[in-house]
Amino acid sequence: MQAEAATITPSGAAELIQNAAALIFDVDGTLAETEELHRRAFNHAFARHGLDWHWDRTVYRDLLRVTGGKERIRAFHTRQWVAPSLSDAEIAELHRIKTAHYAELVDTGCCRLRPGVADLFTAAKGRGQRLAIATTTSHGNIEALLSRALGPRWAADFEATVVGDDVRHKKPAPDVYLEILARLKLAPPDCVAIEDSANGLVAATRAGIPVLITRSMYFREDDFRDARFVLDDLSELAIQIKN
Ligand code: XBP
Ligand code: MG
């Protein structure tokens, strides 16, 4: 049987990562394949609220063009020909229920970090590189995921964390990345953004930050032409930068 072709990571990708003053990580899809848990949590909230909505993977893939859980619910509601009227307060309550259930799902330990992520963190820290997080999700969701994956003191390794509700406009707007640059007091070319979606690529690119894409379950077919490198995952890269 022919051996599987090894996944070759371009050596330039390792160089880009090693030479950066700071690595800025997206969360959902990049650190872990969380969107299936988010999707289950949304469906749980709809059922709890007595709504006969159910987002299957096909519907969710399309809805993921809309960043932000509350905005995603509103976008789906707007598309319904016949739908109960939902106030912003009701959508916020739906999203609260969803977020609570997402944390319960993450707490089962079923959502591990993607290959190479933990090793990349370790290698970066070993080189004195600064780490940051720029995401559309919430502080609570990051805490649930990373305290489980990296332990209760995970935040000590990240100099800055900016989430969707910390800024006026969510990705693909550049706001979260511009806020991270301001907090780190770094110029865009001195950093690298690690992302998984076209929305994330556009957001970081608009902030002037070079982007390395790690393909994820829901965004594999996105247009990544503006990325410096596109990888299937970070495992090979983590090995290369260790050596
Ligand atoms: C992905 C998102 C988030 C999550 C759901 O964020 O767009 O909306 O899908 O989380 P990232 P919330 O920038 O990390 O890829 O329900 O908390 O929005
Ligand atoms: Mg993402």
Side-chain angles (χ1 to χ4, degrees):
M1 190 174 106
Q2 191 178 357
E4 286 282 300
T7 309
I8 305 296
T9 295
S11 58
E15 207 175 314
L16 180 73
I17 290 289
Q18 285 168 316
N19 294 338
L23 303 180
I24 308 168
F25 287 86
D26 164 58
V27 173
D28 294 304
T30 297
L31 297 188
E33 283 288 10
T34 54
E35 292 296 355
E36 271 303 89
L37 295 190
H38 282 302
R39 184 176 70 86
R40 285 170 54 190
F42 280 112
N43 287 330
H44 167 88
F46 301 149
R48 275 275 305 278
H49 205 72
L51 291 167
D52 65 348
W53 296 353
H54 181 81
W55 290 354
D56 64 19
R57 290 184 178 180
T58 306
V59 167
Y60 195 58
R61 183 183 310 280
D62 183 53
L63 285 170
L64 276 170
R65 302 279 152 238
V66 178
T67 57
K70 295 187 286 290
E71 294 82 354
R72 198 166 298 144
I73 296 169
R74 174 63 73 196
F76 180 76
H77 178 256
T78 305
R79 296 179 193 174
Q80 302 306 300
W81 288 101
V82 177
S85 69
L86 277 178
S87 66
D88 286 349
E90 284 176 302
I91 285 185
E93 174 59 10
L94 265 174
H95 193 248
R96 189 194 62 73
I97 295 167
K98 175 263 173 183
T99 300
H101 191 65
Y102 173 80
E104 286 169 19
L105 293 173
V106 168
D107 204 36
T108 64
C110 67
C111 190
R112 303 170 68 83
L113 293 182
R114 291 189 62 189
V117 169
D119 287 343
L120 204 56
F121 288 157
T122 305
K125 284 187 296 180
R127 280 200 313 278
Q129 266 180 312
R130 301 158 74 181
L131 297 177
I133 289 173
T135 176
T136 305
T137 192
S138 61
H139 285 292
N141 286 352
I142 302 170
E143 174 62 32
L145 180 72
L146 294 188
S147 58
R148 180 84 201 186
L150 298 174
R153 293 184 39 76
W154 68 271
D157 291 335
F158 293 84
E159 197 169 321
T161 296
V162 179
V163 302
D165 284 344
D166 289 339
V167 291
R168 280 197 64 197
H169 305 290
K170 293 181 170 70
K171 299 174 186 177
D175 298 32
V176 286
Y177 282 105
L178 293 172
E179 178 60 24
I180 284 285
L181 291 172
R183 294 190 190 182
L184 296 179
K185 295 184 174 51
L186 284 173
D190 297 335
C191 304
V192 174
I194 297 97
E195 272 280 359
D196 74 306
S197 68
N199 277 330
L201 170 59
V202 169
T205 304
R206 283 177 177 166
I209 301 169
V211 182
L212 183 149
I213 291 289
T214 173
R215 286 189 192 281
S216 66
M217 170 183 174
Y218 274 106
F219 299 107
R220 298 196 70 79
E221 307 314 319
D222 272 16
D223 177 356
F224 295 132
R225 266 173 296 186
D226 293 337
R228 291 291 181 83
F229 295 98
V230 180
L231 308 179
D232 281 337
D233 67 43
L234 298 175
S235 53
E236 178 69 23
L237 179 70
I239 293 167
Q240 282 191 7
I241 66 172
K242 255 188 202 167
N243 300 332

